[in-house]
Amino acid sequence: MRRPFLNALRAAATVLAIGTATAQTTPPDAQIARGRYLATAADCAACHTNPFGGKAYAGGYGIASPLGSIYATNITPSKQYGIGDYSLAQFTRVLREGIRRDGAHLYPAMPYTSYTKLTDADIAALYAYFMHDVAPVNVPGPKTSLPFPFNIRASMIAWNALFLDEHPLRSDPNEPEAVNRGRYMAIALGHCDTCHTPRNELMAEKSDRPLAGAAIASWYAPNITNGPAGIGDWTEDDLVQYLKTGDVPGKAQAAGPMAEAVEHSFQYLTDGDLHDIAAYIKHAAPLPDLDQTQPRDAFGHAGTDEALLRGNPQVQDSGERIYQSECASCHRPDGRGSNDHYYPQIFRNSATGANSANNLIAAILLGVDRTVDGKRVYMPGFGASSFVQPLSDREIADVANHVLKQFGNAHDHVTPDQVAVIRQGGPKPFIAQVSPYILPAMIGGGILAILLVAGGIAVFRRRATR
Ligand code: HEC
Ligand code: HEC
Ligand code: HEC
């Protein structure tokens, strides 16, 4: 008679204990909400969620690196396939040092070089969100396998020694508070610099050229420093509008990776945070570019050529003909676009005024697709799988040259070879170009020598900067 009572008592005690235990370990709602906001601001989903119908954070599609595809793993709290067994300390180590729970080094395709600047409080908020608000997905993510020698994860020790700067961001008391806050949002959350800062031969960001412009696959993330080669003629409000909507008429539109960042991340940031980011960007030192002496959005004017405006069927120039048949229906014969700016003007437009026409070519090949605040902006691409009209490298070069001459930076000239490179996914960084030569050099003790040299340089650098 006493046993069932005791058992019932025990059961009640267990329920109570679990109740209090969860009450103690479930983080406060505000911390989870902060973690959710930070995960959006850092766009963890961009890599960790497969955009083709994948479950949230259950593993991404291959990030095309010049060395092969690198897969972002399942970071749901699944114990078997995700990060369910990660402690806060282990989670912190991934974000700060790029070291996994099992001790293996991550490739910097995971932007730990940025997240290393996150505060302890923000890492704890991210941890609370991933552990308590993200649904576990018990499915393994795809595996990364790079070719030798890049499959040796330990080689990242040398890379980290050279390029990972774990010091927290320094706030400058002489700068406005908004600039310091904006630096944290822009840099620690890994956003602007990962695309806009050029990289050196070993694919690390060049610390002396922050935000000075860099190729990213088929696109080019332009110089966004505060000078004539960058966005010196933009106001803080222009920048906020661009980050929030991807469109500032008469200046620039966001396509490619920038469209994705706006769509999945920046449009959800608070106006306060966007203004802080803009204040920081406007405050950063201007970095010149010898070839871009006039702002990108200061080139060209509406077309006045009579033949062009009438759509004269006699035109001889192939580029002009293609413009009339493929582009003028939306951007109009005079390049002014539509009155409501849905179809943008293509003169005084960053894509046609840049010293390199890469983004003009990429826009023609790949189109523009961006959904902001529920509204979709869409331009079809003219690449091989175009449902409108596939254009050849020569035809794209012709129409791009016509657009440049008529509406943009007439000094620039596009060749079919340049189009071919962009069609194939953009210029290959140095490390990928030389990898076939690195390979034999590394075999036979070469690896050891290179690591020792890299380690030596790292020690030297650290000493030198003390
Ligand atoms: C630009 C792409 C990218 C973004 C953005 C990104 N990650 Fe990653 N992440 C990766 C890749 C790629 C890997 C695997 C790298 C490897 O295999 O070396 C990874 C690995 C990880 C791991 C290790 C998991 C394991 O396998 O044990 C964790 C944890 C993680 N990321 C968390 C995050 C969080 C949290 C965020 C947002 C704050 C984030 N990541 C944003 C690309 C990204
Ligand atoms: C994933 C890569 C990526 C990230 C992250 C990113 N950008 Fe960009 N950005 C680009 C690319 C590519 C373009 C060119 C887009 C185009 O021309 O359609 C661009 C264009 C821009 C432009 C327009 C410049 C011009 O003259 O056309 C501004 C301004 C800008 N980015 C600011 C930022 C800021 C500020 C951040 C961080 C808060 C940021 N970007 C983060 C890739 C990125
Ligand atoms: C069906 C309508 C349509 C056609 C046809 C079209 N465009 Fe566009 N174009 C758009 C839209 C929409 C945008 C994006 C507007 C935005 O981002 O707010 C755009 C954007 C652009 C941009 C800016 C891209 C950037 O990255 O900043 C350029 C340059 C451009 N188009 C050139 C062309 C050229 C050249 C052709 C012909 C080969 C063409 N377009 C055909 C609708 C069209």
Side-chain angles (χ1 to χ4, degrees):
M1 279 304 283
R2 280 166 62 199
R3 282 213 146 214
F5 175 72
L6 205 69
N7 283 350
L9 205 70
R10 276 212 192 110
T14 320
V15 169
L16 264 177
I18 292 172
T20 39
T22 359
Q24 275 165 5
T25 52
T26 303
D29 287 350
Q31 192 187 28
I32 293 181
R34 170 80 183 156
R36 187 184 305 121
Y37 181 75
L38 290 167
T40 304
D43 210 356
C44 310
C47 303
H48 285 280
T49 304
N50 188 326
F52 307 106
K55 295 217 168 78
Y57 302 116
Y61 62 117
I63 299 170
S65 101
L67 312 175
S69 281
I70 301 181
Y71 292 94
T73 40
N74 179 335
I75 55 166
T76 71
S78 159
K79 285 198 181 289
Q80 202 179 351
Y81 299 112
I83 58 168
D85 280 332
Y86 270 74
S87 66
L88 172 59
Q90 289 164 337
F91 184 77
T92 306
R93 204 163 176 225
V94 173
L95 295 187
R96 288 252 168 86
E97 298 168 52
I99 297 177
R100 232 160 45 184
R101 184 164 171 273
D102 65 1
H105 282 264
L106 298 182
Y107 300 111
M110 161 72 186
Y112 59 88
T113 45
S114 306
Y115 301 149
T116 193
K117 308 289 182 199
L118 288 171
T119 62
D120 290 346
D122 280 350
I123 292 183
L126 278 166
Y127 181 74
Y129 165 67
F130 277 99
M131 291 300 163
H132 295 276
D133 204 47
V134 171
V137 178
N138 294 312
V139 177
K143 286 248 171 311
T144 298
S145 59
L146 297 189
F148 179 83
F150 305 108
N151 58 348
I152 303 174
R153 286 178 176 270
S155 58
M156 294 312 303
I157 296 174
W159 194 91
N160 288 339
L162 282 170
F163 303 119
L164 177 62
D165 175 5
E166 288 172 63
H167 296 98
L169 282 176
R170 240 174 298 146
S171 277
D172 185 340
N174 299 322
E175 287 172 356
E177 216 11 68
V179 170
N180 284 320
R181 284 196 309 262
R183 177 184 294 112
Y184 181 76
M185 288 302 295
I187 303 301
L189 290 167
H191 254 130
C192 318
D193 56 323
T194 37
C195 296
H196 285 273
T197 298
R199 290 175 188 263
N200 66 18
E201 290 74 6
L202 291 173
M203 292 168 68
E205 288 176 16
K206 287 186 182 169
S207 52
D208 59 337
R209 302 278 297 161
L211 305 176
I216 163 157
S218 294
W219 299 86
Y220 190 83
N223 184 329
I224 52 166
T225 64
N226 195 24
I231 53 169
D233 61 339
W234 292 41
T235 65
E236 200 178 298
D237 286 344
D238 287 337
L239 250 176
V240 170
Q241 181 183 336
Y242 186 83
L243 294 174
K244 203 158 182 83
T245 67
D247 180 23
V248 181
K251 291 202 149 51
Q253 285 79 41
M258 188 67 195
E260 287 174 25
V262 169
E263 178 170 331
H264 299 295
S265 178
F266 304 147
Q267 67 161 321
Y268 298 110
L269 297 188
T270 63
D271 285 351
D273 281 344
L274 289 175
H275 273 281
D276 289 348
I277 292 174
Y280 163 68
I281 300 280
K282 290 295 291 177
H283 186 83
L287 287 169
D289 181 336
L290 294 181
D291 296 327
Q292 189 84 46
T293 46
Q294 192 181 329
R296 291 183 293 271
D297 54 19
F299 287 87
H301 48 76
T304 48
D305 183 339
E306 272 301 308
L308 175 91
L309 298 183
R310 284 210 211 97
N312 186 343
Q314 306 303 322
V315 280
Q316 293 301 309
D317 180 76
S318 137
E320 187 167 342
R321 246 183 298 121
I322 298 170
Y323 182 81
Q324 289 186 2
S325 62
E326 307 302 339
C327 320
S329 56
C330 295
H331 295 290
R332 304 234 296 240
D334 63 3
R336 269 185 214 278
S338 58
N339 292 339
D340 64 359
H341 303 298
Y342 180 88
Y343 300 121
Q345 67 181 55
I346 52 171
F347 51 90
R348 298 197 157 251
N349 182 314
S350 161
T352 57
N355 60 19
S356 143
N358 282 18
N359 285 343
L360 170 61
I361 300 168
I364 298 173
L365 274 168
L366 303 167
V368 183
D369 194 351
R370 193 178 69 240
T371 299
V372 172
D373 202 12
K375 288 187 226 63
R376 188 174 183 201
V377 168
Y378 182 73
M379 160 171 159
F382 295 84
S385 56
S386 173
F387 64 88
V388 209
Q389 176 66 54
L391 296 175
S392 68
D393 293 343
R394 156 72 56 199
E395 289 169 321
I396 290 179
D398 286 351
V399 69
N401 284 325
H402 170 72
V403 166
L404 291 171
K405 189 167 88 212
Q406 192 73 34
F407 304 115
N409 186 344
H411 305 302
D412 201 11
H413 185 79
V414 173
T415 64
D417 286 348
Q418 192 183 352
V419 178
V421 168
I422 292 183
R423 196 191 284 272
Q424 279 149 27
K428 285 221 174 6
F430 177 75
I431 192 165
Q433 287 170 17
V434 299
S435 68
Y437 309 105
I438 288 183
L439 210 63
M442 280 190 148
I443 297 170
I447 293 178
L448 192 68
I450 288 174
L451 291 186
L452 284 176
V453 170
I457 297 172
V459 173
F460 173 76
R461 269 209 181 179
R462 288 204 168 161
R463 288 217 186 106
T465 51
R466 269 210 188 122

